Amino acid sequence: MPRIYIKKTNRTSIDEQEVKKAIIDIFNNVKSIKGASEFYNIKRQTLQSRIKKITAVTTKEDWLKNAEDSGQESEEEKPSFANKYAARQVFNVMEEQKLAEYIKNCFELHYGMNYKQIQE
């Protein structure tokens, strides 16, 4: 007997494009969180948690600009809430980029740092 489980419901499936549209409406002050959740048929708590994760990493304006510019997202351009390790991150995206630039600058100035020094 094969051990292949087939889901009987689609209860946990969320249309990411609908979530993106709802968040754009919320950030543009077109709808409230409650209104967007009812209009797009998404749980209110789901929208609240996604918005919280987005605002922790970037500003609303930057996210809106990137969301409106990119029509279809590639694997590299997935939103921050798609990363399952986002809750455990120490630095946000901006801080990581600044740290990477600092390390590269030190390398170019021939001030090499080992792994322990970078960790500190």
Side-chain angles (χ1 to χ4, degrees):
M1 182 169 164
R3 297 181 183 265
I4 299 173
Y5 180 75
I6 300 172
K7 287 186 176 184
K8 296 173 183 68
T9 65
N10 61 355
R11 188 175 70 180
T12 59
S13 64
I14 298 173
D15 186 15
E16 293 298 327
Q17 294 299 324
E18 293 293 316
V19 172
K20 187 175 179 181
K21 290 176 189 176
I23 292 173
I24 289 172
D25 285 350
I26 293 167
F27 282 170
N28 287 330
N29 295 324
V30 175
K31 292 182 176 26
S32 65
I33 294 176
K34 185 177 179 182
S37 68
E38 291 173 358
F39 184 77
Y40 290 104
N41 198 18
I42 302 169
K43 289 184 180 180
R44 182 185 47 81
Q45 185 60 39
T46 302
L47 285 177
Q48 282 181 337
S49 64
R50 298 283 179 100
I51 289 170
K52 184 177 179 182
K53 289 178 184 179
I54 289 170
T55 54
V57 175
T58 184
T59 62
K60 292 179 182 181
E61 293 80 20
D62 290 340
W63 189 87
L64 279 173
K65 186 178 73 170
N66 290 337
E68 291 170 356
D69 288 345
S70 65
Q72 190 67 2
E73 296 171 331
S74 65
E75 286 294 319
E76 298 172 357
E77 298 174 348
K78 281 193 173 182
S80 63
F81 50 78
N83 186 355
K84 67 179 182 179
Y85 299 111
R88 298 174 56 191
Q89 284 183 329
V90 176
F91 301 114
N92 62 23
V93 175
M94 299 293 282
E95 291 172 337
E96 281 186 17
Q97 289 173 349
K98 287 181 182 178
L99 183 62
E101 289 174 14
Y102 174 76
I103 293 169
K104 288 177 186 176
N105 190 23
C106 288
F107 178 75
E108 289 173 1
L109 295 173
H110 300 291
Y111 182 71
M113 294 189 295
N114 60 20
Y115 187 73
K116 289 273 189 193
Q117 291 172 331
I118 292 173
Q119 278 184 332
E120 292 172 1

